[in-house]
Amino acid sequence: MTEWLTDEQQEAWRGLLQMTTRLNARLNRHLQDEHGLSLADYEVLVVLSEAPENRLRVFELIDELGWEQSRLSHHLVRMQRRGLVERIECPTDGRGTFVALTRRGLAAIEAAAPSHVDAVRTLVFDDQPADQVAALAALSATVLDRLDGPRAAAARSPA
Amino acid sequence: MTEWLTDEQQEAWRGLLQMTTRLNARLNRHLQDEHGLSLADYEVLVVLSEAPENRLRVFELIDELGWEQSRLSHHLVRMQRRGLVERIECPTDGRGTFVALTRRGLAAIEAAAPSHVDAVRTLVFDDQPADQVAALAALSATVLDRLDGPRAAAARSPA
DNA sequence: CAAGATTGATAGATCAATCTTA
DNA sequence: TAAGATTGATCTATCAATCTTG
């Protein structure tokens, strides 16, 4: 009953694993060296910088990032210590917390973005056939749907 | 001089980040729950299981996995403690070390592989258009080449 | 000195348990 | 009781320094 992967699938899978491992390592070092940020920091900052008033509820951040609750919570402690974000109590829900970009956090992401984006473009996207990029986007979307499970997928695209 | 990503690139990039984050988390938990292995353990075991005599030099393993030296070294300590691999001195190079699958390690990978592969197929590859899978493989290969830098790329595909 | 590999210290991620309010 | 979020313990990853042999 067990099927193995085809050669093409195998190649794609190993390639994906290696690519993400090494790409993360490279982008991490780059951001760290040039701007004192980790890739994780950067991802949090980007999402916040795009949110209305530069702030989101913790669960919204989790949803955007795909992280686990406690990872984000610990990470926010460290980022707050460094003055990159601040926590704000939610006025309408006593259980909730907003996470907001500080002036310092905004400055950090604005300083880091250009060269980071440049690295991503150079390493990943430059001179790639448009259909390959589209395929990656499509495949990711499908996989994310599957990870959410049947219920969530149904909620997103109701009959 | 700074260019941002196009919408398509943006979508592909965010998708890739989220997909890998969540896929790793899922596969990790699955392997851990069912077979007491992490995804990292699994990757090491697979590569060794495919090597001649089920053993490789440390630097070969690094190359296959795309990991950093010290990560692998620490990881091997833990795997050796659990009896999954063993270290063997290299007879022809006093600096070198072979890493070999133990009987226990071989049993572990053989037990875990079917359901892990099944998860990968179900979540990632089933019902994906063949050209999308091919596109992923091609894109990964290109990016890995770029990560290796011009020298290594030239060595792989000489003029 | 360079190549192959390991080590120790520190930063980050994960799991289970907990706390507070709806 | 469940939702939103945090905490502490533990495991894993990363960085810089080190050790040994070619």
Side-chain angles (χ1 to χ4, degrees), chain A residues 4 26 64 117 126 146-147, chain B residues 4 26 117 126 146-147:
Chain A
W4 188 236
R26 175 73 62 93
E64 291 287 332
V117 171
D126 271 357
R146 292 177 184 178
L147 284 163
Chain B
W4 189 235
R26 175 72 63 93
V117 171
D126 272 358
R146 293 177 183 177
L147 284 164

Side-chain angles (χ1 to χ4, degrees), chain A residues 3-5 9 14 18 20 22 26 46 50 63-64 66 117 121-123 125-126 146-148, chain B residues 3-5 14 18 20 22 26 46 50 63-64 66 117 121-123 125-126 144 146-148:
Chain A
E3 285 177 59
W4 188 236
L5 301 180
Q9 290 172 343
R14 296 273 173 101
Q18 256 228 359
T20 54
R22 299 196 37 202
R26 175 73 62 93
V46 168
E50 291 171 347
D63 201 54
E64 291 287 332
V117 171
R121 261 201 308 93
T122 306
L123 289 168
F125 293 110
D126 271 357
R146 292 177 184 178
L147 284 163
D148 279 338
Chain B
E3 287 176 56
W4 189 235
L5 301 181
R14 296 272 172 102
Q18 256 228 1
T20 55
R22 299 195 39 202
R26 175 72 63 93
V46 169
E50 290 170 347
D63 200 56
E64 291 288 330
V117 171
R121 263 203 306 92
T122 307
L123 289 167
F125 293 110
D126 272 358
L144 285 169
R146 293 177 183 177
L147 284 164
D148 279 338

Side-chain angles (χ1 to χ4, degrees), chain A residues 149-159:
Chain A
R151 282 165 294 89
R156 261 192 314 286
S157 44

Side-chain angles (χ1 to χ4, degrees), chain B:
Chain B
M1 229 242 38
T2 297
E3 287 176 56
W4 189 235
L5 301 181
T6 66
D7 286 353
E8 288 77 20
Q9 291 172 342
Q10 178 96 279
E11 198 190 333
W13 180 239
R14 296 272 172 102
L16 178 64
L17 288 176
Q18 256 228 1
M19 172 175 70
T20 55
T21 299
R22 299 195 39 202
L23 203 47
N24 278 5
R26 175 72 63 93
L27 294 174
N28 232 310
R29 233 176 309 135
H30 179 256
L31 272 170
Q32 194 69 60
D33 292 349
E34 315 266 309
H35 302 99
L37 297 174
S38 68
L39 185 54
D41 296 332
Y42 186 89
E43 289 180 51
V44 172
L45 294 175
V46 169
V47 172
L48 287 177
S49 74
E50 290 170 347
E53 301 184 66
N54 290 347
R55 60 187 214 158
L56 287 174
R57 288 286 298 273
V58 172
F59 71 87
E60 295 176 303
L61 214 35
I62 284 169
D63 200 56
E64 291 288 330
L65 295 166
W67 291 13
E68 315 219 339
Q69 278 198 344
S70 73
R71 176 184 176 189
L72 179 59
S73 198
H74 284 299
H75 203 94
L76 290 175
V77 171
R78 287 176 237 128
M79 291 183 76
Q80 186 164 26
R81 243 186 243 133
R82 293 192 284 149
L84 297 170
V85 300
E86 59 184 340
R87 285 172 160 94
I88 300 172
E89 287 181 15
C90 177
T92 63
D93 187 334
R95 299 168 302 181
T97 312
F98 279 102
V99 183
L101 221 48
T102 59
R103 218 178 282 101
R104 189 137 186 277
L106 188 60
I109 185 67
E110 286 177 343
S115 77
H116 175 70
V117 171
D118 226 66
V120 172
R121 263 203 306 92
T122 307
L123 289 167
V124 182
F125 293 110
D126 272 358
D127 303 318
Q128 299 286 15
D131 62 307
Q132 282 188 17
V133 176
L136 177 58
L139 192 137
S140 303
T142 307
V143 173
L144 285 169
D145 265 5
R146 293 177 183 177
L147 284 164
D148 279 338
R151 283 163 294 91
R156 262 191 312 288
S157 43

